[in-house]
Amino acid sequence: MERAGVDVPQKSVQARHRSPWLLAVVAAPLLFVAYLLISRQLGVNSDGASNALQAREMLDGNPLLRGWTVTDVSFYTNELLLFMLVELVYGFHGDTTHATAALVFTLVVLLVAAAAKGRATGREAAARVAVAVAIVAVPPLGHAAITLLTSPDHTGTAIPLLATWLVLERFRPGRGLPVLVAAMLAWAQIADPLVMYIGVLPLILVGGWRAWRERSWRGLDARLVLAGVGSVVLAQVALTLLRAAGGFGAHAAEAKLAELSSLGGHLWLGVRVVAVNYGAYPPDRVGPLDTAMSAVHLVGLLAAAAALVVVVARALRPGAAGSLLPPGAPSERDRRGPGDRLAELVAVGVLVNLGAFVVSALPADLLSARQVVAVLPLGAVLAGRVWGPRLATLPRALPVAAVVALLLVAELVGHAAARRTPGHAEDVAAWLDARGLRYGLGEYWNANNITLLTSGRVAVRPVVAGDRVAAYRWESKVDWYDPAAHDATFLVLDTRTPGTRSEAVALAQFGAPAQRHEFAGAVVLVYGKDLLVGLPAYCVPQTAPSIAECPTHGVALF
């Protein structure tokens, strides 16, 4: 190889190409351990525990999850596969969700680094990766860690999405590439319908725009438009076949628009939850040093926002198609190359996600950060691809980067080393297990989590306590509530909400318990009879005399 008249040894070139992969091999286990320690501080919740139970069923011979009702997001072809891997290697217990959450986020960080690097090499590649990883790799304690490191909730959706964009960028643009992209997007949609909005829609819009700009409807971009549409068809056909084969049922995702009067509040909440995910929201921090670090993360958020503007401006720059130039004159588009397709796809995905958040009826509080969690990894990719090349040319960038890296490493170590407090219902789980109480009912946040915490020795099945205590067709299995097969002798109620009437409802329905035990945030009522007999069901949104009489699931199209 030759550069500027100087022979470059082939071994040094190969070493330069291997160095990012060697760094990833070293960094990935360290990041995993840090994320595992942070996740353990957040306790086990029923969402993640439900996924752990589903993965266990799949490993035990129920790969289609027959009899199960999941939420409006199945995680079937993404996180559930990682749960299965963790359970095969690590087992089924209270730490399963923490290990899986750490694995998911580690993979997200690695894919962000790969997508930010792109085809760059050398100093530019290092700068791209450094910018992106600095933005995404240190989730602060608080709502950000709850969103990113407790249980699957759109966080892991960045894994198949970024993998698809990397394939699109790296593979040779032959006729088979659009087919592969369509298959990968369909696979991702089966796990999370959000991919239709942050993956498929950007592919159609960007592909259509680029094809129109180039005045070519026979090239790769035009075929990618068809791939986007085809991926939706493939995903819906797969879900239909899965349901027809007796697989899991899913609820339709809520798609209600907000009232016009709510848009201003949703916009302001959107700003705050994005800042939460980026670690740039001071009220979500504890202590002066931790709060001061939010300023460092704010720089990352602003860098991602500025990169978004740059990418969109480049894509829409006048003269890109040469329409305003004399015939035969080279357009600005010709001079600056075909553009960064991956960055454009990511930018549109961010805009669609944020726009959908503002106009939907989903925003409620800071926990709504999960609805726009994809903006964090996608924004980090944009920042790396836009600002990395510029950073690589600055002569004094290295000392500044070293200081920022030390601050972020210290922050990550501090979060990982923070003192752990017992999670919700851990004391309940230990008490039930010690007393040999093996089957019962519990309000949703006191059910599947207890089952996982006891490695399945104590089975607590989810119920709701509205006007009546009712079986809950949400992250549950229909045969759990069969009184001919099970004898539920206790009920776990949540007492963390002031003024809750759950216990009064239970007493009116089941009568006085034989025993009553209070815990921090929960109360256990122990009965001498089977609480499953005559138990009504909340089918969401319908009710039924029993869960077996709930309406059958259709296919949750779109």
Side-chain angles (χ1 to χ4, degrees), residues 173 175 211-212 214-224 226:
R175 292 185 178 276
W212 176 85
E214 300 298 334
R215 304 294 193 266
S216 172
W217 294 101
R218 294 185 178 181
L220 176 61
D221 289 301
R223 294 198 298 271
L224 289 175
L226 297 177

Side-chain angles (χ1 to χ4, degrees), residues 12-173:
S12 66
V13 175
Q14 294 174 351
R16 187 163 63 241
H17 283 286
R18 286 198 302 265
S19 58
W21 302 110
L22 293 175
L23 181 60
V25 169
V26 173
L30 299 177
L31 290 173
F32 173 83
V33 170
Y35 299 150
L36 176 62
L37 294 174
I38 294 173
S39 180
R40 284 173 175 170
Q41 297 174 39
L42 305 172
V44 176
N45 70 40
S46 284
D47 283 345
S50 299
N51 297 134
L53 266 65
Q54 290 157 9
R56 173 52 53 186
E57 284 249 347
M58 294 170 73
L59 290 172
D60 288 343
N62 186 11
L64 299 182
L65 293 177
R66 296 177 184 273
W68 273 88
T69 298
V70 299
T71 68
D72 53 358
V73 181
S74 74
F75 307 111
Y76 185 68
T77 52
N78 190 18
E79 284 93 340
L80 287 191
L81 300 181
L82 296 177
F83 266 99
M84 291 171 67
L85 176 63
V86 169
E87 291 179 18
L88 279 172
V89 175
Y90 193 44
F92 178 76
H93 43 69
D95 216 29
T96 300
T97 57
H98 304 314
T100 307
L103 176 60
V104 166
F105 199 63
T106 301
L107 291 174
V108 168
V109 173
L110 293 177
L111 282 165
V112 164
K117 176 184 175 294
R119 295 180 178 275
T121 58
R123 184 183 178 93
E124 179 184 330
R128 285 178 172 220
V129 171
V131 170
V133 171
I135 291 173
V136 76
V138 186
L141 299 176
H143 288 88
I146 292 173
T147 301
L148 299 169
L149 288 172
T150 53
S151 58
D153 207 339
H154 305 306
T155 302
T157 300
I159 295 173
L161 184 62
L162 289 177
T164 303
W165 296 159
L166 283 168
V167 165
L168 178 57
E169 181 176 62
R170 301 290 181 89
F171 280 38
R172 182 175 298 177

